[in-house]
Amino acid sequence: SLAWYELACRYADLKWPQAAATTRRTHAEVLTAITMLMLASDRGRPDDKQIRRALIGWAFNTARRSEVPEDVRRVLRWVAANTRPVGDLARREVLRQVVDGLRVKLDGTAAAATVVARRRQLLHTVLEYAVELEALDSNPLSGLRWKKPKAIVGVDRRRVVNPAQA
């Protein structure tokens, strides 16, 4: 019965003290992306931009969570009330929707392979934490078949030997 939002906040609080600033920002961005995919309802939903701003700026920022402005507090209350339970991730169709959603940037285009791998790794770590908290029996991501996106490797013509040099 643990909601995804609560788990994500707990995870952010757990990692905050020993994480570097860039790691904190990356965690906040990835947790926000996953949270957006774990929203269960559209009724009364604030604008996506407001939700992302509230999550990155306050919900997943342990140092600022105590000083939340009222308009942001309203958004966070809505998110807390409308995220799926963590147990829903044990269902393949929900987990597949989340994993596939991590492959896409905000503009709808495909994310870079390294970004997708980083997002999936953080999701795996959060789900391991959920197992530790006994919100899940096992990590469902371990059993999900998934093909890692291939990195696009461009050839730098300045570094390649030309026929005259060969």
Side-chain angles (χ1 to χ4, degrees):
S1 65
L2 180 66
W4 168 260
Y5 174 74
E6 184 181 345
L7 174 67
C9 287
R10 284 187 187 185
Y11 181 81
D13 292 345
L14 175 72
K15 295 298 181 177
W16 186 269
Q18 68 267 16
T22 52
T23 303
R24 290 173 180 169
R25 185 179 66 240
T26 301
H27 283 185
E29 289 169 356
V30 174
L31 290 171
T32 297
I34 298 168
T35 303
M36 296 297 289
L37 296 167
M38 288 293 289
L39 294 174
S41 172
D42 286 335
R43 187 172 186 205
R45 181 179 179 148
D47 182 48
D48 285 354
K49 194 172 185 177
Q50 288 178 318
I51 295 172
R52 284 191 299 275
R53 182 176 153 261
L55 292 172
I56 291 172
W58 285 273
F60 303 137
N61 185 332
T62 302
R64 291 184 68 195
R65 197 176 302 139
S66 61
E67 55 190 54
V68 180
E70 185 54 39
D71 60 328
V72 174
R73 185 170 286 133
R74 266 185 263 117
V75 172
L76 293 178
R77 274 195 300 263
W78 185 89
V79 171
N82 289 284
T83 52
R84 293 174 180 262
V86 175
D88 282 4
L89 288 168
R91 296 185 3 232
R92 295 274 184 219
E93 65 274 5
V94 175
L95 185 61
R96 174 63 62 192
Q97 178 186 10
V98 170
V99 170
D100 289 347
L102 294 178
R103 293 175 175 252
V104 182
K105 295 189 297 187
L106 290 176
D107 63 3
T109 59
T114 55
V115 172
V116 174
R118 189 178 324 116
R119 289 176 175 181
R120 189 176 186 281
Q121 178 59 43
L122 187 67
L123 175 61
H124 185 272
T125 306
V126 174
L127 292 177
E128 286 294 327
Y129 182 57
V131 171
E132 185 181 318
L133 294 176
E134 299 178 355
L136 290 170
D137 294 331
S138 63
N139 189 339
L141 198 55
S142 301
L144 186 70
R145 291 185 53 105
W146 183 74
K147 189 173 182 180
K148 183 178 178 180
K150 293 186 179 186
I152 299 172
V153 180
V155 177
D156 185 356
R157 296 180 68 205
R158 297 171 294 181
R159 306 271 188 245
V160 178
V161 176
N162 63 38
Q165 291 172 326

